[in-house]
Amino acid sequence: MAHSSLILKKGRKFDQVIEGARTVFLRDGYEGASVDDIAREAGVSKATLYSYFPDKRVLFLEIAALETRRQADAHEERLDVTDPPEIVLPSAGRKILDFVLSDIGIAVFRIAVAESARFPEIGQKFYDSGPGLLKERLSQYLASWCAQGVLTIDDPELAAEQFAELCKVHLFHAHLFQGRTDVDEAERGRIIDSAVALFLARYGTRS
Amino acid sequence: MAHSSLILKKGRKFDQVIEGARTVFLRDGYEGASVDDIAREAGVSKATLYSYFPDKRVLFLEIAALETRRQADAHEERLDVTDPPEIVLPSAGRKILDFVLSDIGIAVFRIAVAESARFPEIGQKFYDSGPGLLKERLSQYLASWCAQGVLTIDDPELAAEQFAELCKVHLFHAHLFQGRTDVDEAERGRIIDSAVALFLARYGTRS
DNA sequence: GCACAACTAAACTGATCAGTTTACTTTCAG
DNA sequence: CTGAAAGTAAACTGATCAGTTTAGTTGTGC
């Protein structure tokens, strides 16, 4: 008895295709990736690949969707409303910064920026599952502490985005445009501390 | 007498080629642009184009360099050190925001992000003539007002980048990823006002 | 008005690549 | 064991495109 694989849509190598496409698209971008490369990387014949996906574009959109979902999952954990901003903001900021400096974070950003002119839904999905989702969660957290009088924020959504941007300052551009991959712990900490201080100087109720 | 055109390197149609390449590269990106398209757009034969530039890559790098120079020129005007931060910051912020929301600003950013993995010097040049130059100018301005005790900033370069990022909050991503081109004056003003307030709450000496 | 450089249209080369087809092999459920 | 579904390698089609070549035309300084 045992493994009734009802869930398998069709084909044994579907996952291999997805994994190969992911690798190649993230490494080479949409234009730079060739279908032959993907098939080779996936360890699958081109004919098999084309039995799953009608064309390169659809395969790419599928990968982009999966990858943005994964991005969303990385930000999954709700912010703990019971912890105060002085605790939550530094740790949330660190997670944001670590993600946008990661290889996968940079690769997805690069592709979203490059291809969202050609494929508008890619830009939309990327935004919704990345910056947009973060804004939603963080603004809810901020609003709940406003209600308690610990924070004073007239527009929590705007404030959430301001905080997120402050966390990326300097290092994100340095990595994206100057290839600086050598960002150490201390430097990250310095940026986040400054972001939190700047944020709380304005939105924190006087201590 | 008259027009001794000593300056002309060679060729009467050099400028046409540049202009055509600019149009097509900014519209279609590096991979998306074809040399035939560029020649047609420039109103020039392919052979002429190839008499000026050895290959597509060099032509692209030339356009990217010119375009980033132009970007730098747009930020040219030094900040007037005699005006106080409450005057300078809102107007500088508006200029930053207007630029990054302009068609040309978005197009150059898209190409810099997409191609700086393939052509590292593009990322470097873009950074130097855009965000880097701005940081330099703005941090000098900030430092000069620190000396007078009006501002209190331990790291003016970091603060300059923080301010620049705050000015782009929300609207830049909305335009880049969601194609929102309909950003009105009021919304821009709201973002800038909030950025200035946030910045001065922390770095301004108490009023 | 001549000589020479700049320019042209168009054809061509060689490469790459998306997507298809063919003839064959592997896998596995019943 | 068997037959159908899934997969394979490799050749093929048709298109695009960077870059070259050819044979001829235009513009211009002198």
Side-chain angles (χ1 to χ4, degrees), chain A residues 109-110 113-114 116 123-124 126-127 155 158 161-162 165 169-170 173 176-178 190 194 197-198 201-202, chain B residues 110 113-114 116 123-124 126-127 155 158 161-162 165 169-170 173 176-178 190 194 197-198 201-202:
Chain A
F109 182 82
R110 242 186 249 283
V113 170
S116 60
Q124 188 61 55
F126 172 81
Y127 183 82
D155 185 341
L158 177 57
E161 290 188 282
Q162 287 172 328
E165 290 309 310
V169 157
H170 187 65
H173 280 172
L176 195 59
F177 296 125
Q178 305 182 292
R190 202 181 119 251
S194 182
L198 179 42
R202 158 88 202 199
Chain B
R110 242 185 249 283
V113 170
S116 60
Q124 188 61 54
F126 173 80
Y127 184 81
D155 185 341
L158 177 57
E161 291 188 281
Q162 287 172 329
E165 290 310 310
V169 158
H170 187 65
H173 280 172
L176 195 58
F177 296 124
Q178 306 182 292
R190 199 181 121 250
S194 182
L198 179 42
R202 157 88 202 202

Side-chain angles (χ1 to χ4, degrees), chain B:
Chain B
M1 50 206 43
H3 58 302
S4 70
S5 45
L6 288 172
I7 311 101
L8 289 188
K9 309 182 160 205
K10 54 181 174 184
R12 316 185 276 273
K13 314 230 167 160
F14 189 87
D15 292 353
Q16 276 173 255
V17 172
I18 293 290
E19 191 50 40
R22 188 180 108 89
T23 301
V24 177
F25 277 133
L26 289 179
R27 187 185 63 215
D28 299 334
Y30 180 74
E31 292 285 358
S34 88
V35 177
D36 290 84
D37 275 358
I38 293 170
R40 195 175 318 114
E41 178 72 32
V44 140
S45 77
K46 229 172 143 186
T48 298
L49 186 156
Y50 276 106
S51 78
Y52 293 135
F53 298 96
D55 58 32
K56 186 187 177 186
R57 190 179 146 275
V58 170
L59 174 56
F60 179 65
L61 290 174
E62 185 63 29
I63 299 301
L66 283 174
E67 215 45 52
T68 51
R69 187 116 38 92
R70 188 184 294 222
Q71 180 185 3
D73 290 348
H75 292 305
E76 181 56 40
E77 342 150 25
R78 309 212 152 279
L79 301 168
D80 191 340
V81 167
T82 60
D83 290 334
E86 313 91 78
I87 302 298
V88 164
L89 292 180
S91 101
R94 241 336 253 272
K95 266 183 214 147
I96 293 167
L97 181 54
D98 287 347
F99 180 77
V100 303
L101 293 185
S102 70
D103 288 345
I104 186 76
I106 291 273
V108 171
F109 182 81
R110 242 185 249 283
I111 287 176
V113 170
E115 302 304 336
S116 60
R118 193 191 317 259
F119 305 126
E121 68 258 61
I122 284 183
Q124 188 61 54
K125 272 187 186 163
F126 173 80
Y127 184 81
D128 289 346
S129 68
L133 186 70
L134 179 66
K135 168 174 88 170
E136 199 184 314
R137 298 231 172 99
L138 187 52
S139 64
Q140 275 176 12
Y141 171 85
L142 295 174
S144 85
W145 282 85
C146 283
Q148 304 183 37
V150 173
L151 299 174
T152 309
I153 303 174
D154 52 329
D155 185 341
E157 296 209 338
L158 177 57
E161 291 188 281
Q162 287 172 329
F163 180 70
E165 290 310 310
L166 287 174
C167 293
K168 302 182 208 163
V169 158
H170 187 65
L171 296 180
F172 185 54
H173 280 172
H175 195 143
L176 195 58
F177 296 124
Q178 306 182 292
R180 279 200 51 202
T181 51
D182 58 324
V183 183
D184 67 5
E185 294 297 305
E187 202 165 0
R188 296 182 198 218
R190 199 181 121 250
I191 300 289
I192 298 300
D193 289 348
S194 182
V196 171
L198 179 42
F199 189 84
L200 289 180
R202 157 88 202 202
Y203 294 125
T205 306
R206 44 225 72 284
S207 60

